[in-house]
Amino acid sequence: NYFINKADTPLDEDGRPDFENINTVDLPLFNQHLADLIAGRPVQLPIFDFVTGTRASATVPCQMEEDNILLIEGIHALNPILTDAIPKAQKRTIYVSCLTQLNLDPLVPISSSDNRLLRRMIRDMRSRNTSPEETLYHWPAVRKGEGKNIFPFQEQADFYFNSSLIYELPALRPLIDSRLQVVGPDSAVYGEAQRLLEFLQYFIPAQPRCIPAHSILQEFLGNGCFDIE
C-alpha cells in the first residue's frame, strides 16, 4: 500500500532501481497512519497499483476497533526504522521464511532459494504483470536485498515460522512450466530458466485446485479465502 511511485525508486550502486530499499516505502505517511490507527483515529489507506507502478487516486478507509491487533507484512517488517513511531514494547515481530525440508536424493537438498523463486515468479505473473524472464533477471538483486534488509534483522525476531509446504512444488510446476519454456537462448537468463525446468521434472504435477483455500500458498496463487485490505 505504501510504496512510492516506481519512477521515484532509489537507485543502487549500479544505477539501477533498488526495489528492495526501505526507502521505496513512504515512511513518514506509514508511521503517521500507524500512530493514528493505534490511537483509534480513522485513516485513508493508499492503494498501490503494481501493474502501473503508481499510487492510485482511490483510498481505503480504515479504523481499528478496541482490542484489535494491527498486522504489518513485508520484507522490511523486522527493521525498526519501518515502525519508528511505535515503541518497541508495543511490537511483536515474526520471521516467516520458506525453509524447504525436501531432498532430491540422500545427498542433494532442495534449495530454499529455488522454492522462493518459483513462488515469486507465479505471484509476479498473477499480480504484477511481470514475466518469469523479468523475475529471473531481477532475482540477483532480490537476493542481494535480502542480505541488506532481512537477514541482518532475522535474529531479532520474537517468533519464527517456516512457511514451506510438502506439496507445493508439484502444485507450482504446472503454473510455471510453459512460461519458462518460452525463455529463448538469446535471453541473459536462459541458462537459469533451463536449470529450473530440469529441476521441476523431478515432481509429478498436481492440480492447484487441490490446495486448500486457507493454505499459505494461496498468497502466491491468488485463490485464498481471506479478504486482505
Side-chain angles (χ1 to χ4, degrees), residues 204-218:
I204 299 173
Q207 293 301 318
R209 67 173 179 268
C210 297
I211 299 174
H214 61 274
S215 169
I216 196 170
L217 194 59
Q218 296 292 6

Side-chain angles (χ1 to χ4, degrees), residues 62-166:
C62 185
Q63 186 171 9
M64 291 182 65
E65 303 292 339
E66 187 176 357
D67 296 329
N68 279 174
I69 294 174
L70 179 61
L71 296 178
I72 301 168
E73 185 275 333
I75 66 169
H76 300 292
L78 299 179
N79 189 334
I81 294 176
L82 183 72
T83 55
D84 188 54
I86 310 304
K88 181 176 175 57
Q90 291 183 263
K91 296 182 282 193
R92 294 294 180 271
T93 52
I94 305 172
Y95 179 53
V96 182
S97 184
C98 175
L99 303 173
T100 311
Q101 302 174 68
L102 297 175
N103 282 22
L104 292 179
D105 61 37
L107 299 176
V108 181
I110 291 176
S111 166
S112 293
S113 177
D114 282 346
N115 200 150
R116 292 186 292 111
L117 173 56
L118 291 168
R119 284 181 173 187
R120 188 182 182 100
M121 285 193 290
I122 290 168
R123 182 208 64 183
D124 285 356
M125 286 192 299
R126 179 181 62 82
S127 64
R128 301 193 176 187
N129 196 31
T130 300
S131 70
E133 183 174 8
E134 292 177 89
T135 301
L136 283 170
Y137 179 77
H138 290 293
W139 186 240
V142 173
R143 297 300 310 278
K144 187 176 181 179
E146 290 173 341
K148 290 182 178 179
N149 305 308
I150 298 179
F151 300 150
F153 303 104
Q154 66 184 28
E155 300 301 324
Q156 302 172 24
D158 297 305
F159 305 96
Y160 293 79
F161 181 80
N162 183 7
S163 66
S164 175
L165 298 166
I166 195 74

Side-chain angles (χ1 to χ4, degrees), residues 29-44:
L29 180 63
F30 185 66
N31 275 271
Q32 180 60 55
H33 280 185
L34 287 181
D36 288 341
L37 286 168
I38 291 173
R41 294 186 290 267
V43 303
Q44 293 292 326

